[in-house]
Amino acid sequence: MGKLLTLLLGLILAGAVLAKEAPTVAADPVLEKRVMALAVELRCLVCQNQTIADSHADLAVDLKNQIREKMKGGMNEAQIIDYMVARYGDFVLYRPPVKATTLPLWIGPFALLLAALGGLFYYIAQRRRSAPVQDLTDAEQARVRSLLDAPEERS
Amino acid sequence: MAPELGNFAVILTLCIALVQSTLPLIGAARGNAAWMAVARPAAQGQLLFIAFAFGCLTYAFVTNDFSVTYVAQHSNSRLPLEYRVAGVWGGHEGSLLLWTLMLGVWMFAVSVFSRTLPEEMVARVLGIMGLISVGFLVFMLFASNPFDRLLPGAADGRDLNPLLQDPGMVFHPPMLYMGYVGFSVAFAFAMAALLDGRLDAAWARWSRPWTTVAWMFLTLGIALGSYWAYYELGWGGWWFWDPVENASFMPWLIGTALIHSLAVTEKRGAFRIWTVFLAITAFSLSLLGTFLVRSGVLTSVHAFATDPKRGIFILIFLAVVVGTSLTLFAWRASKVGLGGRFALVSRESLLLTNNALLLVAAGAVLLGTLYPLILDALGMGKISVGPPYFDTVFVPLLAPALFLMGVGPLARWKQASVPELAVRLRWALAVSFVVAVIVPFAMGNWSTMVSFGILLATWIAATCVVSLRARLALLPNERLGARLVKLPSSYYGMLFAHLGVAVFVVGVTLVSGYQVENDVRMEVGDSSHLSGYGFKLTDIKEVPGPNYTATRGTIEVTQDGKPVTTLHPEKRVYTVQNMPMTEAAIDYGMTRHLYVALGESVGPKAWIVRLYYKPYISWIWLGCLLMGFGGLLAAIDRRYRVRTRADSAPAASTVGLKPSPAR
Amino acid sequence: MLRARFLIPLALFLVMVVFLGIGLRLDPREVPSPLIDKPAPPFVLPQLHAPDKTFSQKEMLGQVWMLNVFASWCVACREEHPHLMELSRSGVVPIYGLNYKDERADGIAWLARFGNPYKVAAYDRDGRIGIDYGVYGVPETYLIDKAGVIRYKRIGIVTPEIVRDKILPLVKELNGNG
């Protein structure tokens, strides 16, 4: 619906102001979408820390062209990733491959989550048995009160 | 002359800091009131002298004193005045000076707003902050002195990094540093309490407003930085999971956990060990962030001027500060009592769960940020960890936290009943599901991720409404306005901050789901259409700037044939550093941004033009503003200023439930 | 009484500090090549000085040789150049060039001006072979053994220290054993 409207509007406007509709840079928008989807996963090696999708560096442009050509040639995403890794190593991938050396990286956050939740429930269950019914000891209460209600002369 | 005076002022500040970090601490340990009394004037003196030093460096920048090395490296005679001032913190040395200035401001604030505190506490807090100050001042004087002279002086400066020549960069670092350094107050309070051996509700109450204010500054600082990246880097993104961004995000996550944990410690006396731990961690991560940015151990778009030698100093400092505090923590934590009792389902347990989720999230960011370095250090290869990893890991960690955010404020302290909660929340849940289904269809196409995001955002907003209604219902039957005024501002602070998160989630969800972009090849006179808007390139010409030359496009934007706005995207080349920069032009709107960037020239008259339609992206920063505003409201709650009776405060803030009877 | 679990944060922190300390001495931008100990990617390219003639890595089988990627637009290459000239004069190892993403005339002029250390320079106009070799920061240098396997790669300038400590010993070893 939105797209149709855009198109229609475009046609009307184009007629109205006699402006030429600018051509999209990508010859094949569907292919371009795939290219960019892959390009955001790859690191531009010459840049500080950018994906080759974001970078305008020479090498990034070359690599985007490579991806485009390989895709046109029928290679799929996984094959192109293999192609890149064969040349630049795992460093080029912003999504580290799952293997022995990256296992802690991928499992870590979830292991941490399980450990945290497990520890939490253990802690709550345990303290329910051992915690005193009292919120604060009387001494503490008195101290809180005396500190918070301290007369002005403290300053 | 000014640089020498500045240098001298820094040395004097260091002397004062040395006094401030010794006498009051010893005095507090021995009960010597005279020694403790040194803390306040010393803190105020530090601010005086460090502010003077800062003024001297600013003066050197404003007057183009290129005989100062730092000025020669980060300024230029043709740099506009406002950026010459911002140039003071445009590099490593000046950033440090800003850091110490902010520390001075915080110490001053503590010295002024601490009249209700016991003298030993003030002495310890300021003493510990003085120690931190000593570390940074020593580092500045011996390893990164901004006042070092360049002999002979340079004829002109090398100019400020063009990326930083932007209004966003003028305010981003001071805000961010206010936040980073602000956590030093919470840290100092925690250490003082550990030294004192008394971690109690009073301690939590004292630290709370400080932590909230620091958190507010950090929130705004991060938001500003992200906004700057959005319009200045020119490719429309707003968060890149860059190591330096992560460095500021980790303390934020922990700071958020700390705020909530402090609330429990204050009101229920529980979680004390946990709260202390978070206070130490929040500041440690601020220091770690400084290390990561300044040492160059990680590659980052932001890693300006890095130097491993400086890295070693910061690392040693980090090791000493954090190592000592964690040792003290381990030593004292065993002696801390448990505090109030609570059930498996209670507001305490929900807050603790959320705390755990935030901690795990921060842990995941830390792991992802440092993992490449760890592998490299072990000689096991080089990898990159980037946005795809963080996006994958982060969503499952934060989604439950967002869900619990809705439940927490409605649960009772000590023991909540699940059926009762379900009854109170069923409408919120129903509304959320309905909205989550409607919105994606209203936006044009179905997306599960969008629906899920909207579900969580609506859930948070709806539960805020439920919570507000519940609290109002408990107040005596007056007019609505009168009852609204009666609620404490800290409660509104919570509501605003939570609503801010909801608004933020909406922004993130919709822009990632429905952003439309197109790269077109345009000549003057050409038009292009995107999401119902027409873009016509009417002119493109060279425009000279003060220290750059720009190619400036004029793009007329129309909707339904009616003019909307005229945008001027630029491509600049900064002459001194010969660095190209993209200045995107944005038409702002609450429901969408139109973002236009000029790409490379592809012919004598033809240019690549990038057009973006970004729905609801402004909600991302609007959400951050709301969060910051919430922080402000929470911090100015009158119970921190007026000395209310100690026992009336918990009752007023327990969501209208009975004040805890156990005494 | 010191409970062990409160020491966990400290222990984790100390481990992190150790890694950060090691990290300070590493260069995060130096990427090891996955091509080490792999056969040099095949290519047939026109020669820089003689467009009608070609050069291929296959011609070098049976010899230990060095492939140096250079370009006239590359500032660091100029800094590296004298060291290559010296190595070339010593005749320890034959150096072949790969003129990367350059104008032919510029490449030839550059070599004419600063001297030509290469036996032959191949001409990679569009940088395609450069991508096959994982080139990202010119200058880059490869040492290839008699079987056509890449044994060493240097990203950045080949300094006299690198020649002395890495390249010469390796050339000696490869020639001796292979």
Side-chain angles (χ1 to χ4, degrees):
Chain A
M1 174 62 196
K3 271 180 191 154
L4 199 71
L5 201 74
T6 314
L7 200 74
L8 216 69
L9 210 77
L11 287 174
I12 296 166
L13 277 176
V17 291
L18 286 174
K20 184 160 67 76
E21 181 72 13
T24 299
V25 175
D28 178 352
V30 181
L31 178 78
E32 197 58 23
K33 214 162 199 169
R34 277 182 64 205
V35 170
M36 291 313 274
L38 187 58
V40 295
E41 302 247 328
L42 300 176
R43 181 174 192 155
C44 165
L45 293 105
V46 284
C47 317
Q48 286 282 359
N49 189 11
Q50 279 183 10
T51 68
I52 64 172
D54 292 336
S55 171
H56 301 309
D58 243 16
L59 182 72
V61 174
D62 283 356
L63 289 179
K64 265 181 278 190
N65 288 336
Q66 282 284 313
I67 297 174
R68 202 171 288 124
E69 272 175 41
K70 302 269 173 208
M71 278 187 175
K72 268 189 209 156
M75 270 170 101
N76 64 22
E77 275 76 1
Q79 288 168 320
I80 296 173
I81 285 180
D82 288 345
Y83 171 88
M84 291 291 171
V85 171
R87 279 152 186 79
Y88 299 103
D90 288 341
F91 188 78
V92 78
L93 303 177
Y94 264 130
R95 186 193 298 275
V98 181
K99 52 186 190 182
T101 51
T102 59
L103 224 47
L105 178 69
W106 282 106
I107 295 177
F110 302 102
L112 208 60
L113 181 68
L114 283 182
L117 291 182
L120 198 76
F121 286 118
Y122 173 75
Y123 167 75
I124 293 176
Q126 194 199 30
R127 67 169 281 149
R128 272 171 78 199
R129 284 193 299 274
S130 58
V133 179
Q134 251 173 319
D135 288 1
L136 303 170
T137 62
D138 290 341
E140 280 175 324
Q141 279 295 343
R143 183 171 137 77
V144 169
R145 204 158 312 168
S146 76
L147 292 172
L148 294 174
D149 296 343
E152 197 64 62
E153 75 235 15
R154 274 214 178 275
S155 60
Chain B
M1 191 61 194
E4 278 68 33
L5 285 176
N7 197 28
F8 188 60
V10 175
I11 295 171
L12 280 178
T13 316
L14 175 61
C15 295
I16 300 174
L18 281 168
V19 173
Q20 185 186 324
S21 58
T22 45
L23 290 189
L25 282 178
I26 299 170
R30 294 194 181 160
N32 184 332
W35 285 24
M36 285 192 269
V38 171
R40 278 203 184 90
Q44 290 161 2
Q46 271 206 61
L47 176 64
L48 185 73
F49 284 107
I50 202 73
F52 179 77
F54 195 83
C56 289
L57 189 61
T58 312
Y59 179 78
F61 264 90
V62 172
T63 55
N64 290 322
D65 186 352
F66 298 123
S67 66
V68 177
T69 313
Y70 181 70
V71 180
Q73 280 168 352
H74 296 93
S75 185
N76 185 272
S77 55
R78 281 188 295 161
L79 191 65
L81 180 65
E82 61 270 28
Y83 298 132
R84 265 185 270 153
V85 174
V88 174
W89 53 83
H92 168 77
E93 290 87 346
S95 299
L96 262 184
L97 189 58
L98 181 67
W99 219 103
T100 48
L101 176 70
M102 293 300 173
L103 189 59
V105 170
W106 280 105
M107 287 190 293
F108 178 80
V110 170
S111 77
V112 172
F113 299 112
S114 59
R115 273 177 295 173
T116 58
L117 261 57
E119 284 303 312
E120 305 95 77
M121 194 71 177
V122 177
R124 288 205 170 102
V125 168
L126 286 176
I128 285 155
M129 293 181 80
L131 276 174
I132 297 164
S133 183
V134 167
F136 274 90
L137 289 167
V138 166
F139 180 34
M140 189 156 73
L141 281 173
F142 294 103
S144 14
N145 193 332
F147 297 107
D148 277 346
R149 287 281 193 180
L150 182 67
L151 292 172
D156 207 336
R158 289 221 301 259
D159 208 358
L160 184 63
N161 184 335
L163 274 172
L164 306 182
Q165 296 184 27
D166 179 87
M169 260 305 127
V170 177
F171 299 107
H172 163 64
M175 282 282 188
L176 196 67
Y177 281 20
M178 273 303 272
Y180 269 176
V181 184
F183 282 138
S184 72
V185 183
F187 171 80
F189 268 102
M191 296 307 288
L194 281 178
L195 282 174
D196 193 30
R198 275 181 298 196
L199 292 160
D200 50 24
W203 155 71
R205 167 167 294 197
W206 294 324
S207 336
R208 257 186 104 181
W210 296 103
T211 312
T212 311
V213 173
W215 178 87
M216 176 194 83
F217 277 115
L218 189 61
T219 307
L220 296 178
I222 294 174
L224 264 173
S226 138
Y227 194 58
W228 165 80
Y230 166 66
Y231 67 74
E232 185 71 20
L233 296 183
W235 61 87
W238 55 275
W239 190 261
F240 305 100
W241 294 107
D242 184 80
V244 170
E245 292 174 342
N246 293 348
S248 63
F249 191 43
M250 289 185 280
W252 188 87
L253 287 168
I254 298 296
T256 310
L258 175 60
I259 287 174
H260 293 87
S261 181
L262 274 169
V264 183
T265 309
E266 186 201 350
K267 292 193 180 132
R268 304 274 309 134
F271 299 1
R272 300 180 219 188
I273 300 171
W274 182 247
T275 306
V276 167
F277 174 68
L278 289 178
I280 294 173
T281 310
F283 183 60
S284 305
L285 287 173
S286 299
L287 285 182
L288 178 71
T290 311
F291 171 79
L292 292 181
V293 181
R294 292 291 154 213
S295 65
V297 289
L298 300 169
T299 344
S300 147
V301 250
H302 304 256
F304 311 111
T306 55
D307 180 349
K309 256 177 265 151
R310 288 168 179 170
I312 288 172
F313 188 99
I314 310 180
L315 185 63
I316 292 172
F317 183 63
L318 181 79
V320 170
V321 172
V322 183
T324 316
S325 50
L326 285 178
T327 309
L328 188 63
F329 168 77
W331 179 33
R332 295 282 178 144
S334 326
K335 301 187 180 76
V336 176
L338 282 171
R341 184 176 200 166
F342 58 88
L344 198 57
V345 179
S346 60
R347 189 186 288 193
E348 286 96 327
S349 65
L350 286 170
L351 279 167
L352 195 56
T353 313
N354 239 9
N355 256 320
L357 288 170
L358 286 167
L359 188 75
V360 170
V365 177
L366 185 65
L367 183 69
T369 309
L370 294 185
Y371 202 79
L373 182 126
I374 294 171
L375 267 196
D376 195 12
L378 293 173
M380 290 163 82
K382 285 220 154 146
I383 62 160
S384 303
V385 179
Y389 168 82
F390 289 106
D391 290 342
T392 311
V393 168
F394 224 65
V395 174
L397 288 181
L398 275 195
L402 294 178
F403 173 75
L404 288 181
M405 246 178 86
V407 188
L410 284 156
R412 288 174 193 273
W413 293 107
K414 297 181 79 172
Q415 179 144 28
S417 121
V418 178
E420 190 206 326
L421 268 177
V423 169
R424 295 178 81 178
L425 288 169
R426 63 187 168 183
W427 286 111
L429 197 65
V431 168
S432 310
F433 270 104
V434 171
V435 175
V437 171
I438 291 175
V439 169
F441 281 115
M443 293 293 291
N445 61 50
W446 175 260
S447 148
T448 313
M449 273 318 278
V450 170
S451 179
F452 185 59
I454 296 294
L455 175 74
L456 288 171
T458 321
W459 166 251
I460 295 168
T463 49
C464 281
V465 174
V466 173
S467 159
L468 183 64
R469 284 194 48 164
R471 289 206 58 160
L472 288 175
L474 286 159
L475 290 173
N477 235 348
E478 290 176 60
R479 281 184 306 107
L480 183 65
R483 281 188 286 162
L484 282 173
V485 173
K486 281 217 175 102
L487 292 176
S489 78
S490 62
Y491 175 71
Y492 284 117
M494 183 274 281
L495 279 190
F496 271 105
H498 283 196
L499 278 176
V501 173
V503 169
F504 172 84
V505 171
V506 170
V508 173
T509 306
L510 291 183
V511 80
S512 53
Y514 300 114
Q515 166 174 309
V516 185
E517 58 181 279
N518 198 8
D519 287 9
V520 293
R521 181 181 183 277
M522 275 187 155
E523 289 180 24
V524 173
D526 284 359
S527 298
S528 183
H529 295 87
L530 192 75
S531 296
Y533 291 90
F535 298 84
K536 186 180 181 192
L537 182 66
T538 56
D539 188 22
I540 196 155
K541 63 178 177 210
E542 300 282 321
V543 181
N547 54 346
Y548 58 84
T549 54
T551 307
R552 184 172 218 233
T554 304
I555 291 182
E556 282 172 8
V557 184
T558 53
Q559 189 180 26
D560 300 332
K562 284 184 283 269
V564 175
T565 185
T566 306
L567 294 174
H568 296 285
E570 287 184 9
K571 212 168 172 66
R572 293 178 183 171
V573 176
Y574 282 81
T575 39
V576 178
Q577 300 193 350
N578 195 22
M579 185 162 156
M581 288 288 302
T582 308
E583 290 286 315
I586 304 170
D587 181 47
Y588 301 94
M590 274 310 283
T591 59
R592 55 104 190 99
H593 281 184
L594 301 175
Y595 185 109
V596 177
L598 211 53
E600 42 296 358
S601 157
V602 283
K605 285 186 300 176
W607 290 78
I608 303 278
V609 180
R610 284 157 212 278
L611 306 171
Y612 296 87
Y613 169 79
K614 291 174 172 288
Y616 294 89
I617 191 165
S618 48
W619 287 40
I620 290 174
W621 299 289
L622 181 70
C624 296
L625 273 181
L626 282 175
M627 286 184 234
F629 182 63
L632 184 68
L633 283 181
I636 60 169
D637 193 280
R638 58 193 292 274
R639 75 172 188 277
Y640 298 127
R641 288 171 290 129
V642 183
R643 247 153 275 132
T644 47
R645 288 178 47 76
D647 47 1
S648 70
S653 44
T654 315
V655 199
L657 303 171
K658 274 182 294 177
S660 32
R663 278 289 138 83
Chain C
M1 179 182 60
L2 196 69
R3 277 191 231 159
R5 66 185 156 109
F6 294 124
L7 282 169
I8 296 171
L10 183 64
L12 286 175
F13 172 73
L14 291 178
V15 170
M16 189 183 80
V17 167
V18 169
F19 276 114
L20 290 175
I22 300 173
L24 273 178
R25 292 186 296 145
L26 302 170
D27 178 1
R29 303 203 55 188
E30 197 185 299
V31 185
S33 174
L35 290 165
I36 306 263
D37 294 333
K38 299 262 168 57
F43 64 85
V44 181
L45 280 173
Q47 295 187 4
L48 179 66
H49 291 93
D52 47 331
K53 281 195 254 173
T54 60
F55 174 71
S56 164
Q57 99 291 351
K58 257 187 281 175
E59 296 167 27
M60 300 308 299
L61 282 175
Q63 283 191 61
V64 176
W65 60 295
M66 206 165 107
L67 181 69
N68 174 260
V69 185
F70 74 103
S72 66
W73 46 263
C74 150
V75 182
C77 297
R78 191 174 306 178
E79 199 179 321
E80 178 187 57
H81 208 72
H83 313 315
L84 287 180
M85 292 300 292
E86 196 172 322
L87 183 62
S88 164
R89 272 193 296 271
S90 77
V92 178
V93 60
I95 309 177
Y96 288 78
L98 184 71
N99 188 217
Y100 176 72
K101 300 196 76 168
D102 214 346
E103 293 298 331
R104 189 184 288 271
D106 292 349
I108 293 171
W110 195 80
L111 288 180
R113 182 162 163 211
F114 299 105
N116 184 355
Y118 309 114
K119 299 264 190 222
V120 171
Y123 180 55
D124 185 18
R125 173 78 192 84
D126 53 10
R128 187 66 52 87
I129 302 309
I131 289 181
D132 278 345
Y133 274 78
V135 171
Y136 69 90
V138 195
E140 297 195 9
T141 304
Y142 302 80
L143 200 63
I144 299 163
D145 70 9
K146 291 176 180 172
V149 172
I150 296 177
R151 300 301 291 264
Y152 173 79
K153 178 181 177 186
R154 162 77 186 166
I155 296 160
I157 296 170
V158 171
T159 59
E161 290 76 38
I162 284 178
V163 171
R164 190 185 63 218
D165 300 336
K166 294 269 169 66
I167 294 179
L168 292 185
L170 192 58
V171 167
K172 202 177 236 174
E173 183 198 323
L174 293 176
N175 275 326
N177 299 345

